[in-house]
Amino acid sequence: MNPAYKRLTIAGLFLLIALVVVEMFAYDVIKISWVSFMEIQPAFQPMYHPLPVPTDAIPVEGVAFSLDLGVPPNPISADQTSLQRGNELFQINCVVCHGTGGRGDGPIASKLLNKPFDLTSFPIHSITDGGIFFVISTGVPGKMPALNENLTVRERWDVVNYVRTLK
Ligand code: HEC
């Protein structure tokens, strides 16, 4: 055999072996626990229950709200600006389920196992503003998603003020 071919074959063989070894790592035939894989660490998915506030954390949106501290009073007065904002945010975030008039007849309502609440009817009047605020923030497990990541604290109060005007 031509010596050049012989060398080429040997080099090729070495390359092949190197490739096989690399692939063994790539396909976890040989497992090494690398420092971390971002995708398999514990994570809080969007619209899941909000992350608990770490102790000593400083809230950037003003007072942090926690059910342990009781239901907060509504700090935002229901003026023209607040209601207008609340209306817009309601159209964006709530209408799909609760419907434009808040009657629980949004476009996807009929597809849901748990029917969205009629926001114009009796029980809503017995929930305080702070209660509605918490429903928007934390959702209702298995029924309504937490919207704390979609709406800032101020925006949530605006929506609360708007929901109050639905009769
Ligand atoms: C994915 C659909 C969905 C979206 C979006 C949604 N909701 Fe709901 N909501 C529901 C369902 C379903 C219920 C009924 C929960 C139950 O049966 O207790 C509910 C219940 C409620 C209740 C009553 C909670 C209670 O005490 O039972 C309020 C208040 C409310 N929603 C407000 C809102 C507001 C305000 C928004 C927008 C910021 C919103 N929801 C967005 C599905 C939704």
Side-chain angles (χ1 to χ4, degrees):
M1 203 199 241
N2 186 327
Y5 278 132
K6 207 169 165 183
R7 256 176 266 151
L8 214 71
T9 316
I10 291 170
L13 260 172
F14 272 111
L15 266 175
L16 195 74
I17 291 169
L19 191 76
V20 167
V21 170
V22 168
E23 292 301 293
M24 278 167 120
F25 285 106
Y27 288 95
D28 278 349
V29 178
I30 298 172
K31 270 209 183 106
I32 291 184
S33 49
W34 303 104
V35 181
S36 93
F37 287 108
M38 295 281 277
E39 76 275 16
I40 57 171
Q41 63 184 332
F44 282 80
Q45 303 302 334
M47 303 210 153
Y48 276 40
H49 209 68
L51 266 175
V53 184
T55 42
D56 300 334
I58 299 171
V60 290
E61 286 183 24
V63 189
F65 296 100
S66 154
L67 261 184
D68 304 337
L69 302 175
V71 172
N74 187 344
I76 306 292
S77 65
D79 55 17
Q80 201 56 39
T81 324
S82 175
L83 290 180
Q84 198 190 330
R85 282 193 199 164
N87 184 357
E88 280 171 25
L89 295 165
F90 187 86
Q91 304 308 320
I92 296 168
N93 294 284
C94 320
V95 159
V96 276
C97 297
H98 289 282
T100 26
R103 293 191 178 278
D105 55 359
I108 69 163
S110 60
K111 312 270 192 300
L112 296 175
L113 273 180
N114 298 289
K115 295 299 155 231
F117 217 71
D118 180 349
L119 299 178
T120 65
S121 73
F122 170 66
I124 189 79
H125 306 307
S126 56
I127 309 177
T128 59
D129 284 6
I132 302 177
F133 177 87
F134 267 110
V135 170
I136 301 173
S137 307
T138 61
V140 182
K143 296 174 177 175
M144 175 178 151
L147 292 168
N148 64 313
E149 286 179 17
N150 302 40
L151 300 162
T152 63
V153 168
R154 164 75 211 235
E155 288 172 337
R156 272 173 258 163
W157 286 119
D158 291 335
V159 173
V160 169
N161 285 337
Y162 177 72
V163 166
R164 280 278 175 243
T165 66
L166 299 169
K167 291 257 162 61

